[in-house]
Amino acid sequence: MPHDNEQAAVAAAADPSDSAFAPSARAAAALAASSLALAACGGGGDASSAAAGADGGSYAYPVALTDAQAARFLLHAQFSASTAEIATVRAVGYAAWLDQQFATPPSQTGWDWLNERGYGQANAATSFYDNEYPGDFMIWQQLIASPDGLRKRVALALSEICVVSLTGLDLPWRSHMIAAYWDVLAANAFGNYRQLLEDITLNAAMGYYLNTRGNQKENAATGRQPDQNYAREIMQLMTIGLAQLNPDGTPRRDGAGKTLDTYTQDDVANLARVFTGYDFDLSQHAPSTVPGTSRQIPTTAYARLPMVLNAALHSPLAATFLGTTIAANTPGAAALKTALDTLFNHPNVGPFIGRQLIQRLVTSNPSPAYVARVGAAFANNGAGVRGDLRAVVRAILLDDEARGPEGLSQPGFGKLREPMLRFVQWGRTFGLSSAAGTWKIYQLGNPNTQLGQSPLRPPSVFNFFRPGYVPPATALAAEGAVAPEFQLVNETSVSGYLNYMQGVIRYGIYVNAPDLPQNASNALNGFDIQAAYTEELAMVADADALVARINLLMCAGQLSAATARLIADALKATNVTQASSDNARRDRVAAAVFLVMASPEYLVQK
């Protein structure tokens, strides 16, 4: 990574010529420089590993010897690192910390949170059944306020592989529907991938999003054929991918060097027959009239119940795909089991899904050996079980390539932090809370004025970015390396992120009617959602200590000494003591946090 360029960029951002907290334009230059810096880096991530077997055998780095090492582990494993969590990791070691998280019961579901806030009420005045914003409030609350950070972090990673977007759910109770889908991901985050495949296949939101719901058998008289959307995407995106893979994730090739396809169009057409006959389960509550209107809608129950099979609409034809044949007239449930078992047991699934989870949690360009170790954990958790996501998460986070110090100095190791992860990390690190408990944070996907990314709102089934995205005309492209998150990066998104974060870091998030669940305005409008900065305000007079703390918690100590000094010197340009006004003290804390979050060494997570 070109550190001279990084230092120059941060120096520009930290120029204190205007005021203690007005670095927007200069910080924008810093972030743009950071984008160019990472794009200029080579690929790689080729660190070797000691025996990191599927059974959790010996690792070269089982414990954190420093606070920075513990913070680095936590920032791979979840959204944030606190001083208490750092101390725990150092005391018990990485594996024991993971065991504690695996044993922790799931926190409140998104579904229950929506109902607790009153969003399940069919009221024509609020029309919660036709609005998306409760779903946004729900997911931000889940990501920022839930105590089970590892579970929610894995669930978010899964949401970018097995995609359903709130933006694409145009039907009653869409917010409950996306909450039910999110809860499926969270419930299965430490479970088995086979069960996850079945749960998402029958999930109402997925059924609507990828057309399984209402998909019918062929009709020779009309020429109707089963919809192929889900059959294609479950193969391409959620299980086996487009190319046959070696156990280390590299593509298999024929004698001419051409990659081998995993499936054909005939496989798609045949598999599509399996996903016919399914529809929403309306058995618990039939549609009823919304009070005061003539509108009939079901209750929320159908949004969470697994879809049910209407055998009369299920294809009776034989289905041959991926070397498996389901005989004609096989009952729908048995056909679905065979299809999902076939996909789940395909040798591609371990390396294909494992590599993407490594990309989301640790590094964009894992070495083939790293992928192979994670794939092996998927194939066998050490007790003969395939698809155990606990074993996969353990293998990803404990691997020597993730924990070893080599990655810190390798130009191609690491990843660009996704904008929504930066926002969640900031919130969790500095005690962001909603005074009214309503968490009215709307979608933040506008790249002009916001983050350019919002959870559970990817633009398509292909997520916010592709796992194989390569920024064009860069050194990465020349070296055959990828940088998926850079598909979100352009001049507009860079400035939008900076301008948005500058405001919320200092003042919080302005909320209309924080006392009400609906989108309304009243006399209580104000900054209901704010960061506490308790520890930071207590040390605000010592600029060097303040930057050191933020460096540890936000960057795992990875700011260079030169960068930390530049930021601290910028802060010192305005004299602040513990006796200064609250505004002056908060200005300094906010400026410190903002300048760190605009620096290249923060944006590139290693």
Side-chain angles (χ1 to χ4, degrees):
M1 202 73 70
H3 293 290
D4 291 342
N5 291 344
E6 293 174 359
Q7 293 171 12
V10 177
D15 179 359
S17 59
D18 288 346
S19 69
F21 191 66
S24 174
R26 291 173 295 282
L31 184 54
S34 75
S35 300
L36 294 173
L38 182 58
C41 293
D46 196 26
S48 60
S49 171
D55 61 353
S58 74
Y59 294 96
Y61 307 98
V63 297
L65 301 179
T66 66
D67 285 354
Q69 289 176 1
R72 184 186 183 212
F73 168 79
L74 288 164
L75 295 182
H76 284 156
Q78 52 180 23
F79 301 104
S80 60
S82 68
T83 52
E85 289 170 322
I86 289 170
T88 298
V89 168
R90 292 199 63 181
V92 305
Y94 300 134
W97 184 89
L98 288 174
D99 288 338
Q100 291 176 2
Q101 302 307 303
F102 292 148
T104 300
S107 61
Q108 184 184 41
T109 64
W111 180 277
D112 287 344
W113 187 86
L114 284 176
N115 287 337
E116 182 182 86
R117 304 305 309 172
Y119 289 117
Q121 299 174 7
N123 186 315
T126 56
S127 300
F128 293 140
Y129 45 79
D130 277 342
N131 277 298
E132 298 174 354
Y133 62 79
D136 294 311
F137 302 166
M138 176 277 302
I139 190 59
W140 286 122
Q141 187 276 339
Q142 287 276 297
L143 297 180
I144 297 172
S146 293
D148 47 346
L150 176 64
R151 178 182 294 275
K152 296 303 193 294
R153 180 68 191 90
V154 175
L156 187 64
L158 291 170
S159 80
E160 296 189 79
I161 298 171
C162 306
V163 174
V164 170
S165 178
L166 176 56
T167 305
L169 300 180
D170 185 16
L171 72 175
W173 302 116
R174 60 203 66 179
S175 290
H176 276 76
M177 190 162 279
I178 199 65
Y181 187 71
W182 167 253
D183 292 342
V184 163
L185 299 177
N188 285 286
F190 301 155
N192 193 282
Y193 199 72
R194 172 60 178 81
Q195 186 63 52
L196 175 64
L197 284 177
E198 183 166 333
D199 289 350
I200 64 175
T201 296
L202 297 177
N203 177 265
M206 179 62 84
Y208 181 84
Y209 190 63
L210 290 183
N211 306 337
T212 309
R213 180 255 171 163
N215 191 13
Q216 298 184 28
K217 65 183 179 181
E218 49 283 310
N219 185 322
T222 64
R224 183 185 66 214
Q225 293 294 320
D227 187 284
Q228 298 177 4
N229 202 10
Y230 189 67
R232 179 176 292 104
E233 305 309 353
I234 194 174
M235 289 194 289
Q236 179 180 348
L237 303 176
M238 306 176 209
T239 53
I240 62 178
L242 294 173
Q244 294 182 35
L245 301 176
N246 295 307
D248 64 3
T250 57
R252 295 181 59 198
R253 301 180 185 276
D254 62 18
K258 182 181 178 181
T259 58
L260 300 172
D261 294 336
T262 52
Y263 60 87
T264 67
Q265 177 54 35
D266 282 344
D267 291 317
V268 174
N270 276 259
L271 181 58
R273 296 170 187 164
V274 174
F275 302 120
T276 54
Y278 289 93
D279 210 332
F280 296 144
D281 183 352
L282 299 176
S283 63
Q284 287 196 10
H285 301 283
S288 59
T289 302
V290 177
T293 75
S294 60
R295 173 82 178 275
Q296 280 206 329
I297 62 169
T299 65
T300 59
Y302 90 101
R304 180 164 62 168
L305 292 171
M307 292 189 296
V308 292
L309 178 70
N310 181 342
L313 300 178
H314 179 72
S315 173
L317 300 182
T320 299
F321 56 94
L322 302 177
T324 294
T325 295
I326 298 174
N329 299 310
T330 298
L336 181 66
K337 181 182 184 304
T338 299
L340 295 181
D341 286 346
T342 299
L343 292 170
F344 172 69
N345 287 301
H346 192 285
N348 263 32
V349 182
F352 182 70
I353 297 301
R355 185 175 190 276
Q356 290 186 72
L357 287 173
I358 295 170
Q359 287 184 309
R360 299 282 59 76
L361 300 177
V362 178
T363 182
S364 296
N365 292 282
S367 70
Y370 188 3
V371 174
R373 291 188 291 270
V374 172
F378 184 97
N380 183 346
N381 68 351
V385 176
R386 178 177 175 82
D388 180 358
L389 289 175
R390 291 192 185 196
V392 172
V393 170
R394 183 187 299 275
I396 290 170
L397 295 174
L398 298 184
D399 194 87
D400 292 349
E401 193 164 318
R403 302 274 58 83
E406 295 88 353
L408 295 174
S409 59
Q410 287 178 341
F413 188 84
K415 63 187 180 70
L416 182 69
R417 295 180 198 264
E418 297 174 55
M420 64 183 179
L421 292 180
R422 302 173 211 163
F423 181 81
V424 171
Q425 183 192 9
W426 163 73
R428 293 181 77 104
T429 301
F430 300 112
L432 191 72
S433 65
S434 168
T438 48
W439 287 99
K440 297 176 78 169
I441 306 176
Y442 292 80
Q443 67 159 311
L444 299 178
N446 189 329
N448 297 310
T449 59
Q450 299 168 324
L451 299 179
Q453 186 186 34
S454 208
L456 300 182
R457 281 190 177 271
S460 78
V461 71
F462 299 106
N463 192 28
F464 302 100
F465 40 73
R466 300 300 299 272
Y469 177 76
V470 179
T474 64
L476 284 168
E479 296 188 16
V482 303
E485 296 84 356
F486 267 91
Q487 199 166 353
L488 291 172
V489 176
N490 55 47
E491 293 86 348
T492 298
S493 67
V494 165
S495 60
Y497 159 73
L498 285 163
N499 290 331
Y500 180 74
M501 289 305 301
Q502 178 172 256
V504 300
I505 288 170
R506 173 58 181 87
Y507 300 106
I509 298 167
Y510 191 91
V511 171
N512 287 331
D515 58 318
L516 300 176
Q518 64 263 35
N519 184 4
S521 180
N522 62 26
L524 297 179
N525 294 353
F527 290 95
D528 172 72
I529 301 173
Q530 293 182 313
Y533 297 125
T534 303
E535 299 298 326
E536 293 71 33
L537 289 169
M539 61 172 58
V540 70
D542 187 339
D544 294 306
L546 177 62
V547 173
R549 174 176 170 80
I550 298 170
N551 179 18
L552 174 64
L553 299 185
M554 296 294 285
C555 309
Q558 292 168 26
L559 288 183
S560 67
T563 298
R565 184 172 61 252
L566 285 168
I567 295 174
D569 287 349
L571 300 178
K572 294 172 187 176
T574 300
N575 186 44
V576 176
T577 69
Q578 289 300 143
S580 297
S581 69
D582 183 66
N583 277 339
R585 293 163 63 235
R586 289 184 180 276
D587 279 348
R588 171 172 278 191
V589 170
V593 173
F594 179 70
L595 289 172
V596 169
M597 292 186 72
S599 68
E601 293 153 340
Y602 166 73
L603 292 162
V604 180
Q605 180 181 4
K606 285 186 173 290

